[in-house]
Every structure is written in C-alpha cells, then in structure tokens.
Amino acid sequence: LASKNELKGLIIDLRGNTGGILESGISVCDLFLEDQVIVAIANARTGDRFGQKKQIQQEWKASPGQILQGVPIAVLIDEFTANVSEIVAACLQDYGRATIVGSRSFGNASVQAVTVLSSGSGAIRLTTNEYQRPSGAHLNRLSTSHDSDSWGVRPNSNFAFSPTRQQLENWISWRRQRDLVRVRQPNEPVDPGALLPQYADPVLGRALTLFRSEERL
C-alpha cells in the first residue's frame, strides 16, 4: 500500500460482513484519516428519536499520518453489511475519503451490556448505547424506523446497485469457496485469477468505473 504511485484505486469489499472487533475497524479507518473522529458512542436514551444530538459517551480519533492520499477508494456494501463494517463505511464516507457502492447496509450499531442475574440462572442483554458516525447521523435502525429515516449507510449518488437474486447467490457461493483454507505446497504460486469471481459481479464492475478520472466523486 505504500507504493501509491502504482495504484489506480483501492477497493474494500464489506459485502456480507456482519461485523467484527471494533478496534480492528478503527485501525482500518485510521490508515486513511488524519487526526479526525472515527466513531463515537452516544447515549441511546438522550436526544431525539432519530439519534440526533445525543449525549456523547466516548469517541475515537485517528492518529496523525495517513496513507494513499489522493488515491480513490471504493467500499462495497450490501444489506448484510452490519455493525463494525458499517462504522468503517460510514466514517470513510463522511470525510469523503471513500465512495460507497452497492445497496443500503443493515443498520445495526447498538452497544449492548450483558448482566448476569444474581441467582446465576441466566443473564439479561440490554442495549445501553449506540455508535454514531462522525457526521452525527444515526446508524442504528430501530423497530419503528422507516426507509426515509437516517439509519445504516447509503451508497453514494449514482453508485447504488442491488444485484438480482441469482447474482447474489452466485456471489455468496463464490465467496464460500474462495474463503476455504487450502493447504499449499511450498513455493506454490498463487493464481491471481482465482481471487476474482468467475462470473459478472455488477457491484464490483460499478466500483471499477470510479477509477476513471471522469467518474470520481
């Protein structure tokens, strides 16, 4: 990644990524930002019903220094992109560091606490806070939320694309096969073609158009 002169662009594929470790997502954002707020934890019981102007409990900021300045970045998302993956996509979108391509994300950015009952017979999981994107917009989708409300991450204008059912099934099948761990022989070369879908991936194809200078946003 250090040799940015050799890169026309970078694609981060978060489709089907339902989350992960918060610290890992923060580390990814930190690579591309300069001393800016990455994400904040807001009190879910303060502010208005759509998550605006909530009381901030904690926030994380990027450290000084960033990589690939000036190199366009595309982040691919879909309806299964959730939690920490949404935090990464939202952060890079809010600062204009990446263009979001695909379909609207799931909308799951709640912070939960597990309390063990005094009897030891069980536990209660309570939603206490929620993650808030740098712009202050709401990420978490509530049971009362409508499509017009602010939740999740929306693709950038002209980069929204929802694959057909068959295209989605093809992509899921390919990802499962690609992610299988295979024992390789010492010094066995890796076939770059094996890392690419053996079928048309319209979302990836749309993202590639971003790297043509006339279509950069």
Side-chain angles (χ1 to χ4, degrees):
L1 291 180
S3 302
K4 70 174 185 178
N5 292 332
E6 300 177 4
L7 289 178
K8 292 183 178 180
L10 175 67
I11 294 178
I12 302 175
D13 192 348
L14 297 180
R15 292 176 294 175
N17 192 319
T18 56
I21 301 174
L22 176 62
E23 287 73 15
S24 297
I26 291 173
S27 296
V28 171
C29 294
D30 194 3
L31 292 172
F32 309 109
L33 300 177
E34 180 78 33
D35 196 29
Q36 296 160 304
V37 173
I38 294 174
V39 67
I41 289 181
N43 191 318
R45 294 177 174 81
T46 61
D48 63 36
R49 60 177 296 197
F50 298 121
Q52 301 296 329
K53 300 179 181 178
K54 290 182 177 291
Q55 181 181 353
I56 301 300
Q57 301 289 325
Q58 185 178 357
E59 65 180 20
W60 288 263
K61 296 184 67 175
S63 56
Q66 58 178 300
I67 65 173
L68 302 183
Q69 288 181 273
V71 174
I73 300 174
V75 177
L76 313 186
I77 65 172
D78 61 13
E79 61 267 34
F80 302 110
T81 302
N83 204 274
V84 176
S85 297
E86 291 180 283
I87 291 174
V88 172
C91 175
L92 297 181
Q93 183 182 50
D94 281 353
Y95 291 115
R97 191 61 191 90
T99 298
I100 309 302
V101 184
S103 53
R104 193 177 192 177
S105 65
F106 185 80
N108 177 23
S110 60
V111 181
Q112 297 181 323
V114 177
T115 302
V116 179
L117 299 178
S118 58
S119 63
S121 59
I124 299 176
R125 177 182 293 177
L126 298 174
T127 298
T128 57
N129 298 301
E130 62 185 10
Y131 293 112
Q132 185 171 284
R133 55 195 298 169
S135 65
H138 193 43
L139 268 175
N140 203 40
R141 177 174 56 173
L142 306 177
S143 59
T144 56
S145 296
H146 302 287
D147 287 345
S148 58
D149 294 336
S150 174
W151 56 264
V153 181
R154 295 177 183 268
N156 283 61
S157 177
N158 299 324
F159 285 91
F161 190 96
S162 296
T164 65
R165 182 179 181 85
Q166 186 60 55
Q167 289 171 332
L168 181 60
E169 290 177 353
N170 288 342
W171 177 78
I172 292 176
S173 177
W174 169 75
R175 281 293 296 263
R176 286 173 177 168
Q177 292 298 318
R178 190 201 67 174
D179 293 343
L180 289 176
V181 177
R182 186 172 68 86
V183 177
R184 295 184 180 276
Q185 299 299 321
N187 301 320
E188 179 183 356
V190 177
D191 178 13
L195 302 177
L196 298 174
Q198 301 303 308
Y199 59 90
D201 185 343
V203 178
L204 177 60
R206 187 69 185 95
L208 290 174
T209 66
L210 174 68
F211 306 140
R212 301 171 186 168
S213 59
E214 66 271 16
E215 294 205 36
R216 294 183 186 179
L217 297 183

